[in-house]
Amino acid sequence: MDQTISEVCVEMQNIHKFYGSVHALKGVNLRVRRGEVCVAIGPSGSGKSTLLRCINQLESISAGRVFLKGQLQGYLERGGRFHPLASGQIAAQRRLTGMVFQRFNLFPHMTALENVMEGPLHVKGWPRQQARAKADELLARVGLEGFGNRYPGQLSGGQQQRVAIARALAMEPEVMLFDEPTSALDPELVGEVLDVIKTLALSGITMVVVTHEIGFAREVANHLVFMDQGQVVEEGEPRAMLANPQNPRTAAFLSKVL
């Protein structure tokens, strides 16, 4: 299938990221089509989380270009020069993405319902009734109908992560970014969060997921990326790539985790 410009939701062109002398991303190129579930795997420190943070501008790139729906992120290109956007413009662009972190980052003094309502109320300026209706709908969608009045401290880790997913969805993003969404959970709670993400995948939401859950990648992804030492080493169709990796580094990694 050809990737026309209209089909590409996320495009990263020759992305470099330095933290001082540490070269965290080394010329990364990546295209994620609309409606695709792209899963990134690889050893710790390979640049997977940095990749996500560069997509939604939590980290500024050192070189290269990031596009969301064809729109250059973080800069205005004029006359062959790049001009950084103001913080308000970057915040507006960031609304195109919904980010779910390893830790849930919920407001502890707010109920689950209030956490999900916060963005639509104060960022999008929705009327309270509309924001509440949307929050109720999304909590039901992640399997938490009837839990809206509970505070984060009254919820399990899996339930808190599902509230975090609902909160990200409330902003109606173009792409959802998941940074190891199950890594902070007890093993028995992992499945309930992965099930929610699987359901979202079936709905056609564009996703980029960083995870160590190889079974999830095999079952849900339609685009698998293996990263190592700040580079995309191999990418392709997940089942084929997991069964028969073409790069020795991919094969070595998979031999340890499968």
Side-chain angles (χ1 to χ4, degrees):
M1 179 177 177
D2 291 335
Q3 287 185 330
T4 63
I5 293 299
S6 62
E7 290 173 331
V8 176
C9 185
V10 179
E11 182 166 10
M12 308 186 81
Q13 298 179 352
N14 195 30
I15 300 301
H16 290 263
K17 175 62 182 177
F18 287 90
Y19 296 102
S21 61
V22 177
H23 199 175
L25 294 178
K26 303 172 183 175
V28 169
N29 293 290
L30 180 68
R31 275 186 161 192
V32 181
R33 294 196 303 267
R34 183 166 52 243
E36 197 169 63
V37 180
C38 177
V39 171
I41 60 172
S44 296
S46 59
K48 305 182 303 295
S49 294
T50 301
L51 181 90
L52 290 188
R53 294 174 70 86
C54 287
I55 292 173
N56 82 336
Q57 302 188 66
L58 286 176
E59 298 286 354
S60 58
I61 60 175
S62 304
R65 297 189 294 181
V66 178
F67 295 89
L68 259 66
K69 294 190 70 181
Q71 181 183 12
L72 180 64
Q73 300 295 289
Y75 298 88
L76 176 67
E77 187 174 3
R78 190 168 52 212
R81 293 188 176 186
F82 291 93
H83 304 272
L85 296 180
S87 58
Q89 293 171 302
I90 289 175
Q93 286 190 336
R94 197 176 286 135
R95 293 174 203 167
L96 294 171
T97 61
M99 184 100 171
V100 178
F101 299 88
Q102 297 176 36
R103 296 288 173 180
F104 324 123
N105 294 335
L106 298 176
F107 296 112
H109 62 289
M110 292 183 178
T111 64
L113 186 72
E114 289 167 341
N115 266 280
V116 179
M117 290 173 62
E118 181 73 3
L121 271 178
H122 298 291
V123 179
K124 302 191 84 167
W126 287 10
R128 177 166 290 275
Q129 186 174 359
Q130 181 184 0
R132 183 185 177 109
K134 183 69 172 180
D136 282 332
E137 172 197 325
L138 289 171
L139 287 174
R141 187 173 177 182
V142 299
L144 290 175
E145 187 172 7
F147 286 75
N149 290 327
R150 297 195 188 184
Y151 289 89
Q154 299 171 311
L155 299 172
S156 70
Q159 290 168 337
Q160 289 184 61
Q161 190 62 296
R162 285 187 279 157
V163 173
I165 293 171
R167 181 178 62 179
L169 288 169
M171 294 300 290
E172 301 178 324
E174 294 290 338
V175 57
M176 287 284 288
L177 308 173
F178 294 87
D179 186 7
E180 297 188 17
T182 60
S183 65
L185 300 177
D186 292 332
E188 67 270 19
L189 301 177
V190 168
E192 67 186 59
V193 173
L194 292 180
D195 284 345
V196 168
I197 300 174
K198 290 175 189 176
T199 301
L200 294 177
L202 291 172
S203 74
I205 296 175
T206 307
M207 299 186 196
V208 184
V209 184
V210 168
T211 185
H212 293 293
E213 302 287 340
I214 303 298
F216 170 84
R218 180 188 290 111
E219 183 180 347
V220 180
N222 42 34
H223 181 181
L224 184 63
V225 173
F226 172 67
M227 293 189 67
D228 191 25
Q229 298 182 18
Q231 296 176 304
V232 173
V233 174
E234 186 173 349
E235 61 181 313
E237 195 282 322
R239 291 175 184 268
M241 191 169 142
L242 291 170
N244 186 27
Q246 300 301 298
N247 189 290
R249 288 156 74 186
T250 314
F253 174 78
L254 292 174
S255 72
K256 296 175 183 176
V257 298
L258 289 179

